[in-house]
């Protein structure tokens, strides 16, 4: 289905085409269409009115962003490019976001084919994988979709952690509030299965640094699961409390403390095992250095 739409809507960004599919605006025989749906002769496809972006009006990422991403490359081979994405930069363009990582990498004019293999929230930093061939893209997407990839994050959580590792197995659903804001909530009836494992790595007087392994890749998964444990992610303005975040801001935390530090894809077919690391940015290490230790 996605390939059909790409041919029918030349000039429309791929990110927008996938958004149309996810939001249910594309219908096949009256029903919702998924990207992987195989079309057969006789299917009736409804495509909503879409206006292709004027390339002349497309914002070119600033040279400073292009150069910063070149400096943030943590791995490159014939199949993949991996970048340690800075916080504040989206993975791709969207509503009100003129460019992201993928548009910036394409602006290098270096690759015949380059696509995001997955996504990170705009406010999350760390390993972001891009594929340089379609087989490499499909290999990565399969591994991520079927839980074969090992994805780990560092998250500073508010409050004292009691005990050791804790798992959260709670289904998540995305909702839109009356204000238009999108939020993710736990909903065992209508949500999608989601599992995270939180492992404490360093304990501070009023916070805990955890490594978080995710076994699914839902929107805002770590943030909502952390909230469910009673330990929201430090600096999270959507799900955290202002009273909890203010002392951390006073210590220099100017962003959400969530960083994708490790990604591993298993060997598959002609592809060898892929192991990626991205160390904590200096601004997050500086915050840890300033945090009071337990008394």
């Amino acid at each position: 289905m996605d390939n059909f739409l790409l041919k029918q809507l030349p000039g429309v960004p791929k990110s927008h085409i996938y958004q149309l599919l996810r939001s249910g605006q594309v219908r096949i025989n009256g029903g919702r269409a998924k990207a992987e749906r195989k079309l057969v002769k006789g299917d009736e496809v409804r495509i909503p009115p879409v206006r292709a972006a004027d390339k002349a009006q497309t914002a070119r990422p600033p040279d400073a962003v292009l150069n910063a991403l070149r400096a943030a490359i943590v791995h490159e081979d014939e199949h993949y490019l991996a970048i340690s994405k800075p916080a504040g930069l989206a993975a791709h363009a969207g509503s009100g976001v003129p460019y992201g990582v993928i548009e910036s990498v394409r602006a290098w004019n270096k690759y015949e084919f380059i696509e995001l293999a997955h996504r990170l929230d705009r406010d999350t930093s760390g390993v972001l994988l891009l594929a340089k061939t379609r087989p490499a893209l499909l290999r990565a997407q399969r591994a991520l979709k079927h839980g074969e990839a090992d994805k780990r994050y560092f998250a500073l959580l508010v409050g004292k952690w009691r005990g050791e590792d804790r798992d959260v197995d709670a289904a998540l659903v995305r909702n839109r509030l009356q204000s238009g804001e999108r939020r993710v909530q736990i909903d065992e009836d209508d949500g999608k299965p989601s599992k995270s494992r939180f492992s404490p790595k360093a304990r501070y007087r009023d916070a805990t640094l955890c490594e978080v392994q995710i076994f699914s890749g839902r929107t805002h998964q770590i943030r909502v699961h952390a909230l469910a444990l009673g330990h929201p992610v430090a600096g999270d303005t959507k799900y955290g409390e202002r009273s909890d975040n203010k002392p951390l801001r006073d210590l220099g935390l100017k962003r959400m403390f969530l960083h994708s530090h490790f990604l591993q894809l298993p060997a598959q077919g002609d592809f060898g095992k892929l192991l990626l690391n991205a160390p904590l940015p200096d601004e997050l290490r500086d915050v840890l250095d300033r945090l009071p230790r337990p008394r």
Side-chain angles (χ1 to χ4, degrees):
M1 186 67 217
D2 53 352
N3 290 331
F4 174 79
L5 290 176
L6 289 170
K7 293 179 181 178
Q8 297 296 316
L9 302 173
V12 176
K14 290 184 180 181
S15 59
H16 185 58
I17 287 175
Y18 283 102
Q19 194 277 330
L20 292 174
L21 287 165
R22 288 194 300 269
S23 61
Q25 297 181 61
V26 179
R27 316 290 286 191
I28 300 179
N29 304 326
R32 291 174 69 102
K34 292 186 177 181
E36 62 272 18
R37 168 72 178 267
K38 301 289 186 182
L39 289 174
V40 298
K41 186 176 181 179
D43 280 342
E44 183 176 327
V45 180
R46 177 193 174 277
I47 303 175
V50 178
R51 182 173 64 86
D54 183 351
K55 291 187 177 181
Q57 297 179 358
T58 301
R60 182 183 185 278
D63 288 340
V65 173
L66 303 186
N67 293 333
L69 287 178
R70 288 190 185 97
I73 294 174
V74 294
H75 174 84
E76 184 167 10
D77 59 29
E78 61 182 315
H79 304 296
Y80 295 105
L81 171 72
I83 289 174
S84 183
K85 185 186 82 65
L89 180 63
H92 58 79
S95 178
V97 181
Y99 59 84
V101 171
I102 186 62
E103 291 80 16
S104 300
V105 172
R106 286 173 179 158
W108 295 347
N109 294 319
K110 182 179 178 181
Y111 307 107
E112 292 184 7
F113 179 99
I114 193 77
E115 293 288 349
L116 291 168
H118 65 117
R119 289 165 175 77
L120 289 179
D121 289 345
R122 184 175 183 177
D123 296 328
T124 301
S125 59
V127 175
L128 183 64
L129 183 64
L130 296 86
K132 297 164 71 173
T133 66
R134 183 160 293 279
L137 175 65
L138 296 176
R139 174 260 186 138
Q141 289 177 336
R142 281 194 298 266
L144 292 161
K145 180 179 180 179
H146 296 297
E148 298 165 355
D150 189 349
K151 295 175 65 179
R152 299 174 187 245
Y153 294 70
F154 282 132
L156 184 68
L157 305 186
V158 174
K160 294 180 180 179
W161 188 271
R162 302 195 182 280
E164 297 302 325
D165 292 7
R166 295 171 68 178
D167 288 356
V168 179
D169 194 347
L172 301 177
V173 65
R174 286 189 289 183
N175 292 322
R176 185 184 293 273
L177 305 181
Q178 289 184 347
S179 63
E181 178 188 6
R182 290 185 177 181
R183 289 181 68 92
V184 176
Q185 297 174 323
I186 292 176
D187 189 326
E188 296 298 342
D189 293 327
D190 298 324
K192 295 182 178 180
S194 309
K195 182 179 179 181
S196 307
R197 175 167 297 151
F198 294 77
S199 304
K201 297 300 179 183
R203 302 173 193 259
Y204 302 91
R205 191 179 67 195
D206 302 308
T208 307
L209 179 68
C210 281
E211 183 182 58
V212 188
Q213 182 178 7
I214 62 172
F215 302 92
S216 50
R218 311 301 179 199
T219 300
H220 298 175
Q221 176 175 325
I222 293 175
R223 300 161 69 180
V224 178
H225 281 179
L227 180 65
L229 290 173
H231 297 280
V233 176
D236 189 345
T237 58
K238 182 183 286 287
Y239 299 101
E241 295 291 338
R242 182 177 299 179
S243 57
D244 292 329
N245 287 328
K246 185 181 184 306
L248 293 164
R249 285 198 305 272
D250 294 340
L251 291 174
L253 183 62
K254 300 178 181 179
R255 49 162 288 200
M256 182 172 63
F257 200 122
L258 185 58
H259 177 78
S260 172
H261 83 95
F262 179 84
L263 173 62
Q264 178 177 290
L265 300 183
Q268 185 181 74
D270 295 332
F271 296 98
K273 182 169 70 173
L274 182 65
L275 184 64
L276 304 170
N277 291 278
L280 271 178
D282 289 341
E283 75 265 19
L284 296 185
R285 288 189 177 278
D286 290 344
V287 170
L288 294 180
D289 290 341
R290 297 188 190 106
L291 284 175
R293 290 285 183 173
R295 294 171 181 171

